[in-house]
Amino acid sequence: MRSITPALLLIAALAPSAFAQSASPDFTRCIESLRGDARAARVQDEAFTRFTQGLVPDMSVVEKLDYQPEFRMPIWDYLAALVDDERVADGQAQLAQHAEVLAKVAERYGVDPATVVAVWGVESNFGRNFGNYPLVQALGTLSCHGRRQAFFRGELYSALRILQAGHIAPERLVGSWAGAFGHTQFMPTTFERLAVDFDGDGKRDLMDNTADALASTANFLKKAGWQSDQPWGFEVKLPEGFNANGEGRRSKRPIGDWIARGLTQVDGAPLSRDLGSAGLMLPAGPQGPAFLVFKNFDAIYSYNAAESYGLAIAHLADRLRGAGPFTTPWPTDDAGLSRAERRELQGLLVLRGHDIGAIDGALGEKSRAAIRIEQARLGQEVSGRGGQKILRALRGG
């Protein structure tokens, strides 16, 4: 629940509601009832009043509690939009632009520039998509409505302490519906534990200070167990008939064990015995890409607990270093679309008379409704999913 920000880059439906909602007496009473616990959590009464006065709920955030695309989207869709040629080129430009800061960050925290920039790219598209939910409003709503209210109350008190300390201006504290904010989308309690003032200006500013944000990300990974002398992992080739029952990211074995069981590098070269222990990760089953993953993958995973998310970060970091796409194809005959392909698909839908809103590469409900109509017309499975099949069909007229 740390963040759902990659969804903001993929799903237009996660925009906040267009109409403000008025505060009910029950909501006002609920917020006021938190004052005592907030005081015990080191939020001053004056600050509590100033930052919660006139607060109205945004019930759209409650609806999103059970939606996380990392778990609902096919992994080939999830990765196709998060790790595409646009983001690789953009990330390489960011590596060059921020080379001096990233070198200092790597020296202090031991996390390489490509990994830090990969987190930045996936979390906010390099600072372009912070999310636009006012955090106190979103967290206040979730503190009084829906499940996990105790969790969100802790995040609310943390957000109020951040404002109280003056690290970020109140009007700038916006982010995802669940409370993550800034260039690399820290939850408020994560900010308090791990954000750093890298440029020494007296503030830990993850919204408007890129150096603070990149260094804070590296500090997060370091504290999560990052080891500078190890890779996150790599793609491997399984022998014919390999039994993967019981294997997974957590079930780490010495590399020698994997060698004995017939695993090789994906190009057939032998594995090196010097890498320690690794777990076998099969995100799409034994017919798809296979990976041996080390402790550094676990550090990435701790940033947002989904293996597809961790793989997106790791793969983007490799691509930023010059590596190519995975060798083994995903086990599907309808692969996912890059953001450019999603925009192309939306343009083709518009040409056929569909109102899909902005052509932005985010396949929201209007786009999915139009896709369903076209799939039915073409005799395809009516799913509303944008993949290569519907794109190729519409390209052909």
Side-chain angles (χ1 to χ4, degrees):
M1 200 73 189
R2 190 206 63 75
S3 165
I4 196 172
T5 305
L8 296 173
L9 313 180
L10 302 176
I11 306 296
L14 295 191
S17 58
F19 303 99
Q21 297 169 355
S22 60
S24 67
D26 286 347
F27 180 75
T28 301
R29 281 194 294 271
C30 176
I31 292 296
E32 183 59 31
S33 74
L34 304 179
R35 182 182 294 272
D37 285 346
R39 186 185 303 122
R42 296 178 285 106
V43 178
Q44 298 167 7
D45 277 349
E46 180 275 332
F48 185 90
T49 299
R50 177 155 48 107
F51 298 127
T52 66
Q53 194 166 33
L55 199 64
V56 298
D58 179 358
M59 298 307 293
S60 72
V61 302
V62 181
E63 299 167 7
K64 297 174 175 63
L65 274 170
D66 293 317
Y67 183 84
Q68 274 197 268
E70 294 92 335
F71 299 106
R72 296 196 177 197
M73 296 176 71
I75 190 167
W76 42 87
D77 283 352
Y78 185 77
L79 288 178
L82 286 178
V83 187
D84 58 12
D85 290 342
E86 282 182 74
R87 186 156 284 128
V88 172
D90 204 352
Q92 289 173 336
Q94 300 293 344
L95 281 169
Q97 180 180 344
H98 300 280
E100 184 177 353
V101 167
L102 288 164
K104 293 177 180 177
V105 167
E107 182 179 5
R108 183 176 301 182
Y109 300 105
V111 183
D112 64 282
T115 298
V116 174
V117 169
V119 175
W120 188 19
V122 168
E123 286 290 353
S124 72
N125 196 22
F126 309 107
R128 299 184 185 96
N129 300 92
F130 286 166
N132 53 0
Y133 290 87
L135 250 65
V136 173
Q137 181 187 36
L139 291 171
T141 303
L142 293 169
S143 293
C144 292
H145 295 281
R147 58 187 180 82
R148 301 194 70 191
Q149 290 180 18
F151 168 80
F152 287 111
R153 288 176 182 184
E155 296 297 336
L156 173 63
Y157 303 151
S158 179
L160 293 173
R161 289 193 297 266
I162 291 168
L163 293 174
Q164 177 179 276
H167 290 294
I168 298 169
E171 66 275 10
R172 293 293 295 138
L173 192 59
V174 298
S176 77
W177 66 266
F181 68 98
H183 282 273
T184 52
Q185 295 289 289
F186 275 25
M187 291 295 284
T189 53
T190 303
F191 174 99
E192 290 193 301
R193 286 189 300 111
L194 298 172
V196 298
D197 172 18
F198 195 66
D199 65 354
D201 67 354
K203 295 182 179 180
R204 296 180 287 167
D205 184 359
L206 305 193
M207 294 295 297
D208 298 312
N209 189 315
T210 304
D212 283 1
L214 297 178
S216 296
T217 301
N219 187 44
F220 182 109
L221 293 171
K222 177 185 177 182
K223 294 295 176 61
W226 187 269
Q227 299 182 7
S228 59
D229 60 346
Q230 270 200 346
W232 67 267
F234 45 82
E235 189 178 358
V236 294
K237 183 178 180 180
L238 304 179
E240 193 69 29
F242 181 83
N243 182 2
N245 289 339
E247 304 300 345
R249 176 181 60 85
R250 296 182 181 87
S251 303
K252 291 184 170 54
R253 304 174 183 273
I255 291 293
D257 288 4
W258 297 118
I259 293 173
R261 295 181 66 184
L263 272 66
T264 65
Q265 296 183 45
V266 72
D267 62 1
L271 301 175
S272 169
R273 293 180 178 272
D274 300 330
L275 290 173
S277 296
L280 178 64
M281 195 169 74
L282 303 172
Q287 302 307 312
F291 306 91
L292 285 181
V293 296
F294 299 84
K295 290 182 178 180
N296 284 350
F297 186 88
D298 296 336
I300 298 171
Y301 178 90
S302 70
Y303 210 95
N304 189 7
E307 289 182 354
S308 55
Y309 170 89
L311 191 58
I313 299 290
H315 186 41
L316 180 55
D318 283 349
R319 293 290 304 275
L320 294 179
R321 300 184 194 101
F326 298 136
T327 299
T328 306
W330 295 109
T332 178
D333 62 353
D334 191 15
L337 301 177
S338 69
R339 289 174 296 165
E341 290 171 325
R342 288 170 180 236
R343 292 192 297 270
E344 181 187 358
L345 174 59
Q346 289 177 314
L348 292 169
L349 292 169
V350 169
L351 287 176
R352 282 156 180 77
H354 298 287
D355 174 16
I356 56 94
I359 297 177
D360 55 7
L363 300 181
E365 183 49 45
K366 286 186 176 181
S367 292
R368 294 194 296 272
I371 290 169
R372 284 191 287 269
I373 292 171
E374 292 298 322
Q375 287 171 328
R377 180 181 66 82
L378 292 162
Q380 296 184 359
E381 178 188 357
V382 180
S383 65
R385 173 184 169 267
Q388 293 291 337
K389 283 185 176 180
I390 185 66
L391 177 60
R392 286 195 299 265
L394 294 184
R395 279 173 176 168

